[in-house]
Amino acid sequence: MAKKGTVKLLPRETVLHVRDTCLCLAAQRAARRLARHFDQALKPTGLTNGQFSLLMALNQPDPPPMGQLAEFLAMEPSTLSAAAKVLERRGLITMERDPIDGRSKRLRISSSGVALMREAVGIWRQSHALLEAQLPPGAGQALREGLAELTTAALSGETVASHSSGS
């Protein structure tokens, strides 16, 4: 019988199995390390890797709807909105009312944002090339393809889960 106040933990084998096989944990750990790598590289621009990705997604003639942008970046709309406000305060983007749906907003990169992206993309290219050069030949492309397949599988899993839970 367990002592009062102690918790019966999962077997160590279970923890090791999850550590060694969980796709989500592996992706999260890799994503966090990559994020730190690119945050450090982009530090001279004052951008985080997430801000860089957001600005890159906005580098198009017509500003995308927030919902479409959130889906592309795999972000919750509220998280995207908070991130956009930081860039807006810096004058790197503007928020506009959606002409089709007045309740929604669209984000547009400003000329200051484009100028900063020109600097940031050079840093990103160099940092990305150095990182990818540390991988075996073809591993970067294989990883991108594998992550795309994993994303597709996770999306179909969400559909299955939502149907089986009755939502």
Side-chain angles (χ1 to χ4, degrees):
M1 179 169 205
K3 295 180 191 174
K4 185 175 180 178
T6 62
V7 175
K8 185 167 172 27
L9 300 174
L10 292 170
R12 182 77 177 142
E13 300 79 35
T14 302
V15 174
L16 296 176
H17 176 73
V18 170
R19 178 198 70 189
D20 296 341
T21 62
C22 182
L23 294 170
C24 186
L25 177 59
Q28 287 172 333
R29 291 177 71 197
R32 288 183 188 114
R33 287 187 175 123
L34 283 169
R36 283 193 299 270
H37 170 85
F38 284 103
D39 282 346
Q40 186 61 37
L42 293 166
K43 201 171 194 171
T45 67
L47 293 173
T48 65
N49 75 86
Q51 292 168 335
F52 174 82
S53 296
L54 175 51
L55 288 174
M56 192 58 67
L58 294 176
N59 191 55
Q60 51 185 301
D62 295 320
M66 290 277 283
Q68 182 182 43
L69 190 58
E71 187 170 326
F72 172 76
L73 294 170
M75 297 175 79
E76 291 296 321
S78 60
T79 305
L80 173 59
S81 184
K85 287 177 184 174
V86 172
L87 296 176
E88 184 182 38
R89 281 193 297 271
R90 286 185 63 189
L92 302 175
I93 67 169
T94 58
M95 285 193 202
E96 306 171 357
R97 286 247 175 252
D98 187 319
I100 298 165
D101 179 0
R103 299 167 297 165
S104 296
K105 293 188 177 160
R106 291 179 181 245
L107 303 179
R108 182 183 302 272
I109 192 167
S110 68
S111 57
S112 297
V114 172
L116 185 59
M117 285 304 296
R118 289 186 198 289
E119 178 185 348
V121 88
I123 293 169
W124 175 87
R125 277 190 178 120
Q126 182 179 10
S127 184
H128 191 272
L130 290 170
L131 183 62
E132 195 152 343
Q134 294 177 34
L135 299 174
Q141 185 58 33
L143 180 57
R144 285 183 286 275
E145 290 170 3
L147 289 170
E149 291 171 10
L150 184 60
T151 299
T152 300
L155 286 173
S156 8
E158 287 174 9
T159 304
V160 169
S162 68
H163 289 304
S164 65
S165 68
S167 12

